[in-house]
């Protein structure tokens, strides 16, 4: 599962195990990686889950996705033309594979090849001005003409304009809901047009209606797929700025189109330029910045210490069960204030691998919250699912 | 006449001599300085002019402004409420005094005190958009509120808006024509309002109708008076960008207000931001940059090597007449391609003071062109006035 090698292809049975594991309670992209490292395979992880969660002090039995539910999703998806691409497989979008919380399985609709092209995201206001729409179209068309795929979020306004203007050259929509749940519904026709030469991706289960909190989470995929994010018209606290935050964390370039200081729709984008984002008035500005990056090979970023600790093919380490008093000590060290793994390891006096195992157990028990930058905290009692 | 000391006040007779000298043929601000250095006073320079021009090879007798013409201008100006302030006098605007080609005499109307305040220029399109006008007003009002005088060029559009919004706090108009020749004429009422708490300055003779080429020349006064220049809406090749070029040469800060890439009126200003101008959406952006500069004492920039060579009060050096063969050699070295004073001195093997004298003679004969950065070239035969 090492990001960037992209040479391994999962067997059918293994893919179902991956789907079951990522659809189980308390298993997000990071926990998924930790489980694979800890147990050696998704199948082994599924078997180990109940015991790990029990040791972590789960309040009740954790829900593991049943094999038949995963099979049902898998078959229904296939009928819809959805493929599941696993992290580490050759078809997995190479840039996306480099982010810390890359989805282990990506539901893909449309043209797989569109995910391999170098990509630029164009995002912005839903209630965009006519000028903003025209700029988004012009940038998307011109970036498409020089070979970039255009990534966006299928929202109204800027997103839709960017997709529309790059239909002929290839555009990628990152969805907040399941691959069959299109939001807003009136962009369903646009999605159909996108799929002809482009693609749509989703990490959510088939049939999943997107909730408000799924949109920010989805935004990390928009930036993660891309070399850079261009913001066209963004108000002060807008979703586009969340995408920018992800882009910065992921080491992506940030671009912004300037606008009148009198237009509140440009406050966010103007502010970005003041903060150092590259100002864009034409596609050439984006190309000039990205050209040098395009030459560089794509390499996985640090990817979390787990990946570094456990080379591919390492034997499962489930036998390294920490003693109960170590577990109690860990709980004492943890609290509602996020603390770094380094501090936790130092203060606990335990090996890093032991700390990882204990945290994994707590996570599966729904008692641990992982924060950006490798920080963790204990979930409040009422946070527990 | 050393810029920055500002303690000397000219006698009435001396002021008339200054006016005569600057109103004579081939005497611009730089030649004026050179003549004062060479001859010791304006009166001595007026006497030396014919001989210097003859030695430089003037095709015909140079026109020296007669004393009665200067007196007529002086008296007529006084009736209009115009004062002539000389470079080096306490009332001369301190920032303007630091530029290489500061006008030796400045015709001032209105409130002299307005020229002493720290100033910011606001310039931009004549055919500005409503949004541009509103931004100019907002910036001028807010900069005025924190104590800056607002400098502009009394043009339609952005200039007029900037003056109007800072009438109450103090605003300065730099005119391209004589102090009594208001362009455009429909801004005459605005000028009257400006003079109540602000001022208008001009370096041109009373009654001088501004020609097209007087506007770029005037723009160096706009930037020269100011700590920084804010550009609001400027097309690609606009007068505002000339002001910016002067500002950069004079070491002033350059600010620009962003706008939509679709608006050609914002092309110039957006381009400036790409080139490194500070982006401005509110007055605070300007204040944040200028605050640290305000604390620093105002010092004259290099001011040309002449000033450094000849301390104030040095005896006239007109006796140092270079021999004729040296003069011929200098003419051989000079051509239509600009060459630096350093190179000329080195190649001629003459003392710098001799080179200065020879160049001054050629200049007064209308045979020398001075370029930026201390470069000089020989005027083509048909360039001679």
């Amino acid at each position: 599962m090492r990001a960037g090698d992209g040479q391994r292809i999962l067997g059918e049975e293994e893919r179902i195990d991956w789907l079951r594991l990522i659809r189980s309670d308390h298993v997000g992209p990071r926990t998924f990686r930790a489980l694979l490292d800890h147990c050696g395979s998704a199948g082994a992880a599924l078997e180990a889950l109940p015991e790990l969660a029990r040791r972590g002090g789960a309040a009740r039995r954790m829900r593991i996705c049943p094999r038949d539910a995963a099979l049902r999703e898998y078959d229904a998806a296939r009928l819809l033309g959805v493929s599941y691409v696993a992290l580490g497989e050759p078809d997995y979008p190479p840039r996306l594979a480099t982010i810390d919380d890359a989805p282990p399985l990506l539901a893909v609709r449309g043209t797989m090849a569109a995910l391999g092209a170098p990509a630029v995201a164009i995002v912005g206001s839903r209630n965009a001005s006519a000028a903003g729409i025209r700029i988004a179209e012009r940038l998307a068309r011109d970036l498409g003409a020089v070979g970039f795929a255009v990534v966006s979020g299928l929202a109204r306004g800027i997103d839709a304009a960017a997709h529309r203007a790059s239909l002929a050259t290839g555009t990628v929509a990152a969805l907040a809901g399941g691959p069959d749940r299109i939001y807003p519904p009136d962009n369903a026709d646009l999605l159909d047009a996108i799929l002809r030469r482009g693609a749509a991706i989703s990490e959510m289960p088939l049939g999943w209606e997107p909730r408000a909190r799924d949109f920010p989470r989805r935004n990390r995929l928009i930036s993660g797929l891309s070399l850079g994010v261009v913001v066209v018209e963004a108000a002060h606290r807008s979703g586009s700025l969340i995408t920018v935050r992800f882009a910065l964390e992921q080491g992506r370039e940030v671009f912004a189109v300037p606008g009148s200081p009198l237009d509140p729709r440009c406050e966010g984008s103007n502010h970005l330029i003041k903060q150092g984002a590259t100002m864009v008035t034409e596609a050439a500005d984006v190309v000039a910045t990205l050209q040098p990056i395009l030459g560089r090979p794509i390499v996985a970023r640090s990817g979390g210490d787990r990946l570094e600790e456990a080379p591919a093919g390492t034997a499962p380490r489930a036998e390294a069960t920490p003693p109960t008093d170590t577990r109690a000590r860990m709980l004492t060290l943890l609290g509602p204030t996020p603390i770094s793994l380094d501090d936790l390891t130092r203060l606990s006096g335990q090996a890093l691998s032991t700390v990882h195992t204990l945290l994994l157990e707590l996570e599966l028990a729904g008692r641990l919250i992982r924060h950006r930058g490798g920080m963790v905290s204990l979930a409040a009692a009422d946070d527990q699912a």
Side-chain angles (χ1 to χ4, degrees), chain A residues 48-83:
Chain A
L49 276 181
E51 176 58 15
L52 287 167
R54 194 194 56 73
R55 275 196 230 135
R60 54 180 173 278
R61 211 179 135 78
M62 78 173 288
R63 202 200 62 91
I64 295 172
C65 172
R67 190 178 136 80
D68 59 342
L71 272 177
R72 261 199 313 277
E73 174 174 350
Y74 194 72
D75 290 340
R78 192 141 53 173
L79 282 177
L80 269 171
V82 175
S83 312

Side-chain angles (χ1 to χ4, degrees), chain A residues 12 15 29 45-46 69 119 127 169 181 189 220 236 248 269 272 276 305 309 325-326 342-343 348 369 385:
Chain A
E12 203 75 337
R15 199 176 306 270
L46 288 165
N127 65 335
T169 49
R181 286 295 178 269
D189 287 350
R220 85 186 196 286
H236 209 56
L248 293 173
S269 26
L272 286 175
D305 30 15
E309 253 217 321
D325 56 341
T326 311
D342 282 354
D343 284 346
S348 68
I369 301 174

Side-chain angles (χ1 to χ4, degrees), chain A residues 1-357:
Chain A
M1 206 190 76
R2 185 172 295 271
D5 54 8
Q7 288 315 315
R8 199 177 159 230
I9 296 186
L10 298 190
E12 203 75 337
E13 209 47 49
E14 203 176 356
R15 199 176 306 270
I16 302 294
D17 284 345
W18 277 49
L19 188 56
R20 287 184 66 197
L21 188 55
I22 192 63
R23 296 290 185 250
S24 295
D25 277 4
H26 307 311
V27 180
R30 285 196 180 86
T31 323
F32 189 99
R33 284 203 188 198
L35 281 166
L36 242 64
D37 286 341
H38 188 75
C39 306
S41 73
L46 288 165
E47 278 175 36
L49 276 181
E51 176 58 15
L52 287 167
R54 194 194 56 73
R55 275 196 230 135
R60 54 180 173 278
R61 211 179 135 78
M62 78 173 288
R63 202 200 62 91
I64 295 172
C65 172
R67 190 178 136 80
D68 59 342
L71 272 177
R72 261 199 313 277
E73 174 174 350
Y74 194 72
D75 290 340
R78 192 141 53 173
L79 282 177
L80 269 171
V82 175
S83 312
Y84 288 99
V85 181
L87 184 60
E89 291 190 315
D91 279 341
Y92 198 93
R95 298 273 163 192
L96 187 60
T98 67
I99 72 172
D100 289 349
D101 50 357
L105 269 187
L106 212 54
V108 179
R109 296 176 64 182
T111 315
M112 203 62 83
L115 298 176
V120 176
I122 299 180
V123 298
S125 294
R126 284 188 299 274
N127 65 335
S129 72
I133 298 274
R134 274 188 52 205
I135 293 164
E137 284 171 353
R138 200 163 75 177
L139 290 174
R141 190 195 57 217
D142 295 350
L143 288 170
V146 296
F148 286 101
V150 172
V151 178
S152 200
L154 200 69
R156 294 189 182 93
I158 299 297
D159 285 25
H163 285 306
R164 211 166 262 131
S166 53
L167 286 175
T169 49
T171 181
V172 177
L175 308 176
D180 56 339
R181 286 295 178 269
I182 307 313
Y183 185 86
D186 33 314
N187 277 346
D189 287 350
L190 175 58
L191 185 72
D192 285 343
I194 287 172
L195 299 182
R196 269 173 236 139
R197 284 173 181 245
I201 64 160
S202 162
E203 63 178 323
M204 304 307 278
L206 204 70
W208 183 273
E209 291 291 348
R211 304 154 302 173
R213 70 172 184 223
D214 295 326
F215 290 90
R217 172 190 173 140
R218 179 278 315 265
N219 289 359
R220 85 186 196 286
L221 305 183
I222 294 179
S223 53
L225 283 164
S226 311
L227 292 154
V229 174
V230 184
V231 179
V232 185
E233 288 195 352
H236 209 56
R237 297 159 176 277
S238 61
S240 305
L241 299 189
I242 296 174
T243 311
V244 165
R245 214 186 56 207
F246 283 122
L248 293 173
E249 286 175 10
Q250 295 163 355
R252 305 308 196 239
E253 297 297 320
V254 176
F255 304 91
V257 175
S260 167
L262 295 182
D263 191 340
R265 282 175 296 213
C266 299
E267 261 177 37
S269 26
N270 282 343
H271 185 71
L272 286 175
I273 298 170
K274 281 191 197 168
Q275 300 297 305
T278 302
M279 180 163 126
V280 170
T281 59
E282 53 185 358
D285 299 325
V286 177
V287 175
T289 300
L290 295 185
Q291 204 90 67
I293 299 173
L294 269 177
R296 279 183 235 150
I298 300 169
V299 288
R301 304 204 308 139
S302 82
D305 30 15
R306 275 176 236 96
L307 268 181
E308 275 145 35
E309 253 217 321
T314 299
R317 282 181 282 129
E319 66 278 7
T321 305
T324 315
D325 56 341
T326 311
R327 197 169 284 125
R329 168 101 180 106
M330 185 66 63
L331 276 172
T332 315
L333 288 173
L334 282 165
T337 309
I339 181 176
S340 75
L341 271 184
D342 282 354
D343 284 346
L344 208 53
T345 309
R346 190 168 48 77
L347 294 171
S348 68
Q350 297 294 323
L352 185 60
S353 60
T354 307
V355 175
H356 276 313
T357 304

